[in-house]
Amino acid sequence: MSYEELDILRRRAEAFLRNAKRLLEEGEADLAMFSMEQYCQLILKYKLLLLRGFYPKTHSLRRLIRTLGELRPEVLTLVNDVKNLHYIAKLEEAYISSRYAPIEYEVEEAKDVYKFIEEVFKPLVEPI
């Protein structure tokens, strides 16, 4: 693990979340959803790199959450609570659909996911 890699992951994650907020303000729900997924994926990888020295080579938010949950069990609420899992699944769908499927998101739907990230995901994942 290098401190440079840690810093890059953290800065990129934060930039994706800022970008998602800006895209939502512009009414670009699809790209905002992708940016939110990228924030979640990168911040999870950042935390795993920080705490374990490595992270699994995967794009699956569920797998990254479960791996982080081995060190911080409270994070498992994101996949063990069905309401939270719904949001995680929607974020994973956004990643896949951005590349392979013509799925469109409504702005209000994306704003709801952003609210989930700010109010549920971040408080569980970001503290060390």
Side-chain angles (χ1 to χ4, degrees):
M1 163 188 65
S2 76
Y3 292 106
E4 182 179 354
E5 185 178 2
L6 271 171
D7 188 53
I8 289 169
L9 284 172
R10 182 190 51 76
R11 283 186 298 112
R12 246 183 228 161
E14 291 168 354
F16 270 115
L17 193 57
R18 283 192 309 275
N19 190 51
K21 184 176 183 179
R22 182 184 56 78
L23 288 164
L24 283 172
E25 291 167 358
E26 295 173 4
E28 294 287 345
D30 298 347
L31 293 173
M33 288 290 291
F34 175 76
S35 290
M36 287 185 275
E37 189 282 338
Q38 289 293 283
Y39 159 77
C40 293
Q41 189 179 144
L42 293 177
I43 204 69
L44 287 164
K45 288 177 177 180
Y46 164 76
K47 288 297 178 174
L48 286 165
L49 187 60
L50 182 66
L51 298 172
R52 293 179 95 183
F54 66 95
Y55 53 85
K57 301 297 181 196
T58 183
H59 300 291
S60 170
L61 295 180
R62 294 174 216 216
R63 181 163 176 219
L64 292 167
I65 290 165
R66 287 188 178 102
T67 303
L68 184 57
E70 294 169 7
L71 304 168
R72 304 223 352 257
E74 65 276 11
V75 171
L76 293 173
T77 302
L78 294 169
V79 291
N80 292 338
D81 178 299
V82 173
K83 185 177 178 183
N84 293 338
L85 182 58
H86 168 77
Y87 287 103
I88 298 301
K90 185 150 300 277
L91 286 161
E92 286 184 328
E93 173 189 85
Y95 176 79
I96 294 165
S97 70
S98 71
R99 300 178 185 296
Y100 308 110
I103 295 174
E104 291 184 325
Y105 296 96
E106 300 293 326
V107 172
E108 291 306 313
E109 177 182 25
K111 284 181 178 178
D112 185 51
V113 173
Y114 185 86
K115 182 179 175 185
F116 162 78
I117 289 171
E118 288 289 344
E119 295 178 3
V120 179
F121 185 91
K122 280 178 75 170
L124 284 168
V125 173
E126 285 199 0
I128 291 180

